[in-house]
Amino acid sequence: MLDYNHTRSFADMLNDVVDAALMDENAARPRREYLGGSRVGHACERALQFEFAGAPKDEGADFPGRTLRIFAIGHVLEDLAIKWLRAAGLDLYTRKGNDPDGQQFGFSVAGGRIRGHADGIIAGAPESLKLGVPALWECKTMNAKNWRETVKSGVAVAKPIYAAQIALYQAYMDASIPGLASNPALFTAINKDTAELHHELVTFNAELAQRMSDRAVRILRATDAGELLPRLARERGHFECRMCPYANRCWSLAQ
């Protein structure tokens, strides 16, 4: 039934303008021309191929303004977490030399086609914490449901994509920061709904790091050869496929 009396409020109209500006800004960002270490643990290798190759997303599958606002809030909360941990006595570096304009800590392999940028490196901590240093620091923000799941099950079970990221970073960055793979990483999760904090020490998983490294190379080689890797699922109704921005493209192609 049509509501001919409905009129858009001032808030609706202003939000439309805000979201349009955010979407324009996001669309103008240069495309990432490498496979990010934070993405290698994604469930579907074919989706990673599309992403790496810069394939256009399905119509209407770009991030809406509200999602971009959520991302922006996450960045602000991460900045707050840095302040909180430093106030607690952690010697936390987010840039080389702790210079705001300095380079991020990270790695680049395969001719720069596989890269990663760490949230931070912990160089020191209060003795009472018994935290081995140097240690990788990774921070994620989550809604209450995901946060509770992460607290209950641990990052490796609840968020395997984050666990893969941590393992890769520890493996690839150990050469430039000796000891990074020997000491557990500190994973911080912020509950965006309640401001609760979860901290977890993540021991280096060499087997996971190797699998993810092999996976990244497999994706590069298959993409270079014009070969499509298998889909995650056999049915388009799989929940990962329903959320995939390349679903129409993917399922229009032969397996």
Side-chain angles (χ1 to χ4, degrees):
M1 182 176 179
L2 296 176
D3 180 6
Y4 292 102
N5 296 316
H6 176 73
T7 57
R8 291 181 57 74
S9 70
F10 173 78
D12 291 332
M13 293 186 289
L14 181 53
N15 283 338
D16 285 347
V17 175
V18 169
D19 287 351
L22 289 172
M23 293 174 71
D24 287 344
E25 180 183 40
N26 187 59
R29 287 193 178 97
R31 181 179 76 83
R32 178 186 284 182
E33 297 184 348
Y34 59 87
L35 183 58
S38 62
R39 299 291 297 156
V40 176
H42 185 279
C44 182
E45 293 186 4
R46 183 182 288 194
L48 285 173
Q49 276 190 285
F50 290 140
E51 188 176 306
F52 171 66
K57 294 180 180 179
D58 296 343
E59 185 176 355
D62 285 320
F63 293 126
R66 178 173 176 270
T67 300
L68 294 172
R69 284 185 270 127
I70 291 172
F71 291 162
I73 289 170
H75 293 314
V76 173
L77 288 177
E78 182 182 315
D79 289 341
L80 285 173
I82 292 167
K83 292 179 63 176
W84 295 334
L85 292 177
R86 285 175 174 166
L90 274 68
D91 190 11
L92 175 58
Y93 285 69
T94 58
R95 300 265 178 177
K96 293 182 179 180
N98 255 357
D99 179 351
D101 297 319
Q103 277 189 318
Q104 276 187 284
F105 295 96
F107 71 89
S108 176
V109 295
R113 303 177 78 201
I114 304 172
R115 303 183 205 172
H117 302 93
D119 288 334
I121 302 296
I122 300 170
E127 290 186 12
S128 60
L129 295 177
K130 298 180 180 179
L131 181 66
V133 294
L136 177 73
W137 180 65
E138 283 298 321
C139 180
K140 305 295 181 184
T141 62
M142 307 173 185
N143 62 31
K145 179 182 177 181
N146 286 322
W147 187 87
R148 287 193 296 266
E149 183 183 356
T150 302
V151 173
K152 177 182 177 182
S153 303
V155 65
V157 173
K159 298 295 176 184
I161 189 171
Y162 298 158
Q165 177 184 0
I166 291 169
L168 273 178
Y169 284 21
Q170 288 173 303
Y172 280 128
M173 293 174 61
D174 189 67
S176 59
I177 307 176
L180 210 63
S182 303
N183 297 314
L186 176 61
F187 174 74
T188 296
I190 306 173
N191 186 327
K192 287 188 284 191
D193 298 337
T194 66
E196 291 175 281
L197 298 175
H198 169 64
H199 303 290
E200 183 176 339
L201 294 177
V202 184
T203 303
F204 176 52
N205 187 333
E207 187 273 336
L208 176 60
Q210 187 63 61
R211 279 196 292 113
M212 291 299 103
S213 179
D214 293 344
R215 189 183 209 222
V217 171
R218 181 165 61 250
I219 289 167
L220 295 188
R221 288 177 174 170
T223 305
D224 289 344
E227 300 171 356
L228 278 176
L229 291 169
R231 298 185 185 100
L232 164 70
R234 295 183 179 179
E235 301 289 339
R236 181 167 182 167
H238 188 279
F239 77 96
E240 292 274 6
C241 296
R242 292 200 304 269
M243 295 186 296
C244 181
Y246 305 103
N248 292 339
R249 171 182 297 277
C250 177
W251 289 93
S252 68
L253 301 171
Q255 175 68 25

